[in-house]
Amino acid sequence: MGSQPYAGGPGYHEDALFGLEDIDTGQERGAPAGAGPLFRDSPAARRLLSVRAIHAEPAAAASPRGRQVIARFPGAEVIPVESHWGIPELHGNEGNVDRWVRIKSEVLVLGEKKTLTTRPNGRSADWIAPGPANGCAMACAYCYVPRRKGYANPITVFTNIERIIAHLSRHVARLGPKAEANQCDPAAWVYDIGENSDCSVDALISDNVADLVRAFARWPAAKASFATKFVNPDLLLLDPRGRTRVRFSVMPPEDAKLLDIRTSPVESRIAAAGDFLEAGYEVHFNLSPVVLRPGWERDWALLLRHMDDVLPGPVKEQAAAEVIMLTHNKDLHDLNLGWHPRAEDALWRPDLQQPKRSQNGSWNVRYRNAVKAEAVEAVHALVAAHAPWLPIRYAF
């Protein structure tokens, strides 16, 4: 299903820019007839995002997408700012650690993405697309996003979605058809659209993700991809036509209860796979992060056996996985000690870790080479034993 190209309707041409007539204008989109209320209007969604303040660049607030976001949270105070990066009380303020989760829930930022760059990747995806948002309402203790954005990490919605999609349309057109299969995909250029956010949560706020799913459904040479730890059933109402890959991140439930704060339970992520495949998505899994602690191999074996037991055959037939070993960071370690020190008992293991310079120049820690190599080999063996239908696309 997921690898079949979509030829488009009459008059469709792969080179064509995504038409402005196909961009949502900011009006609230209702559920299709008979679909019932949208999940994003439910009490559960409102608990995750009970927005009280929206820091907004003036142009972003005035845009159709900005007006859509503001309309979704009518009780929120709109606070003008010159730049979405220039909010001292939110960005780079270590004093916010005691309000970490509250800020994620109660604050949004609206801005325009000024620089549109598509970067090569070659691991999970061929390309990293300019994302429609950054930041996250969830609070995973190991997440690298806060390192890039400051100590408070609310979601920033980029309102100039039409520019982002036009940029991607030109990029796809320049590439043309994919000539050679690789680990990312055998036939399509894969674009990660959620590097610095979780698109399932972003879709609770605006139609940016819906617009991207709609765009990729029209581009036969390309496929969108994003990892998620949140089950948003509103995404099932879209029409991806096999051109969007959802990668559900999973880990042993005991790890998730300690580390995956404010996310959907791992069991729910696995249970959603069949529904997403039936709705037209390609469904993969991220075994991520693999955290080395006593009993980790036993618990990963239990998780893989659970996946083997409950996943329907069609999901297994098209699934693949990425294995991502934990990478941690000294600044994030210090931050976690201020709000969730128990997490650091599992994450901060100087006896097993070594420093590593990241691509953005910061110093992280990862498992020592020999420790990591042994663990990756163990994960491969566990998958082969308990979920042999699950090919591993890459391990990092």
Side-chain angles (χ1 to χ4, degrees), residues 87 89 96-98 105 190 239 249 312 370 394:
I87 309 174
E89 62 267 37
N96 280 326
V97 66
D98 60 340
S105 174
V190 179
D239 185 20
S249 292
Y394 85 99

Side-chain angles (χ1 to χ4, degrees), residues 55-62 79-85 110-112 114:
H55 298 262
E57 296 174 356
I79 305 166
V81 295
E82 290 187 9
S83 168
H84 68 88
W85 283 116
L110 299 180
E112 292 185 328
K114 307 301 191 297

